[in-house]
């Protein structure tokens, strides 16, 4: 278990299938994800079975997001870990919509960043977000991500193309956000 402030991250289990299956077929959720086609229960079962069997590793971390009282509300992960370049791609889905915009997503992201930098020894975490996903962009900015470019007209949805915005955070930027770091410590004026 990886403890956050209001969430904990744990390994995904086969028994998570009912919730996960519902979330990956909910268009209100998947409109923000690279999930265009309906998913069968068998596909979701296979994904969770493979995840449980392979386990988490540097190359691919897949976790469930739980509230502190054990309610499973979403999934997140760090994918395509590069050992040489020390970076990985972050993905997140708070599938239970009643938990949106209440700080759970940003706590999950901060908890994942702490794991990425302090345990996996990454130097950079990056992600792609649709230009219209204002909530996610606000969440990532709050967590210290900065925009680093965009893939123009990269995704087709609802009759038009949308840009995917690239965002990232470096280890030194993450560390500067931690209490007690030089950046966050208030400077005492010299007399
Ligand atoms: C994106 C996601 C992980 C964010 O998690 P969350 O718990 O909803 O987000 P948080 O509450 O931590 O932060 C969201 C911030 O955006 C703000 N926000 C919400 N709607 C907004 C909007 N339309 N425009 C601008 N800001 C918005 C919130 O007020 C909050 O900021 P605040 O804490 O300063 O008030 C979650 O909403 C989610 O999983 N959505 C569906 C799937 C998805 O978009 N995944 C990410 C794909 S890149």
């Amino acid at each position: 278990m990886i403890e956050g402030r209001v969430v904990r991250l744990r390994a995904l289990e086969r028994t998570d299938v009912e919730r996960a299956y519902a979330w990956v077929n909910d268009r209100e959720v998947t409109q923000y994800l690279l999930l265009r086609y309906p998913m069968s229960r068998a596909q979701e079962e296979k994904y969770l079975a493979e995840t449980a069997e392979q386990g988490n590793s540097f190359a691919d971390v897949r976790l469930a997001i739980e509230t502190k009282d054990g309610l499973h509300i979403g999934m997140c992960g760090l994918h395509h870990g590069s050992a040489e370049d020390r970076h990985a791609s972050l993905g997140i889905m708070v599938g239970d919509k009643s938990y949106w915009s209440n700080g759970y997503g940003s706590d999950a992201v901060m908890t994942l960043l702490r794991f990425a930098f302090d345990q996996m020894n990454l130097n950079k975490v990056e992600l792609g977000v649709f230009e219209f996903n204002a909530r996610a962009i606000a969440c990532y900015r709050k967590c210290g991500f900065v925009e680093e470019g965009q893939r123009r007209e990269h995704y087709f949805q609802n009759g038009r193309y949308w840009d995917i915005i690239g965002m990232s955070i470096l280890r030194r930027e993450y560390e500067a956000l931690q209490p007690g770091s030089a950046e966050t410590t208030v400077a005492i004026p010299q007399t």
Side-chain angles (χ1 to χ4, degrees):
M1 302 275 187
I2 309 172
E3 297 291 334
R5 193 176 48 83
V6 293
V7 301
R8 70 168 61 93
L9 308 181
R10 62 157 172 82
L12 284 163
E13 304 285 351
R14 286 184 172 87
T15 49
D16 292 324
V17 67
E18 286 307 333
R19 288 170 300 277
Y21 172 59
W23 298 334
V24 297
N25 283 293
D26 181 343
R27 273 310 280 161
E28 281 186 62
V29 176
T30 61
Q31 65 177 315
Y32 300 118
L33 305 171
L34 296 172
L35 271 179
R36 198 190 303 276
Y37 299 103
M39 295 272 283
S40 68
R41 202 173 189 287
Q43 277 175 294
E44 194 56 35
E45 276 170 357
K46 186 165 174 252
Y47 175 83
L48 290 173
E50 279 170 7
T51 302
E53 198 165 306
Q54 286 161 15
N56 285 305
S57 68
F58 181 84
D60 201 13
V61 179
R62 301 175 185 178
L63 299 166
I65 307 171
E66 273 188 2
T67 62
K68 289 285 177 155
D69 47 11
L71 183 69
H72 180 205
I73 60 167
M75 290 146 80
C76 65
L78 291 164
H79 315 293
H80 315 298
S82 165
E84 294 83 1
D85 304 313
R86 311 307 305 175
H87 58 57
S89 301
L90 183 144
I92 182 167
M93 167 182 73
V94 174
D96 186 330
K97 294 173 286 191
S98 65
Y99 281 82
W100 285 0
S101 292
N102 278 293
Y104 290 89
S106 47
D107 191 46
V109 170
M110 289 309 288
T111 305
L112 204 48
L113 288 181
R114 195 180 76 226
F115 187 72
F117 294 122
D118 292 354
Q119 306 304 328
M120 294 171 67
N121 192 25
L122 290 177
N123 181 55
K124 177 178 179 177
V125 174
E126 56 96 30
L127 57 84
V129 55
F130 296 143
E131 59 176 307
F132 56 82
N133 196 351
R135 183 191 294 107
I137 293 169
C139 166
Y140 299 139
R141 283 195 184 131
K142 205 165 54 162
C143 294
F145 281 78
V146 296
E147 288 161 35
E148 64 173 21
Q150 60 204 100
R151 298 177 131 193
R152 297 175 305 145
E153 300 191 8
H154 203 72
Y155 197 76
F156 190 80
Q157 180 161 252
N158 296 334
R160 58 159 283 195
Y161 292 101
W162 301 91
D163 293 352
I164 294 186
I165 300 173
M167 300 185 79
S168 66
I169 180 168
L170 302 175
R171 172 196 280 277
R172 61 179 175 274
E173 293 165 343
Y174 166 80
E175 286 172 348
L177 294 174
Q178 302 314 301
S181 82
E183 299 287 332
T184 54
T185 305
V186 177
I188 300 166
Q190 302 296 309
T191 49

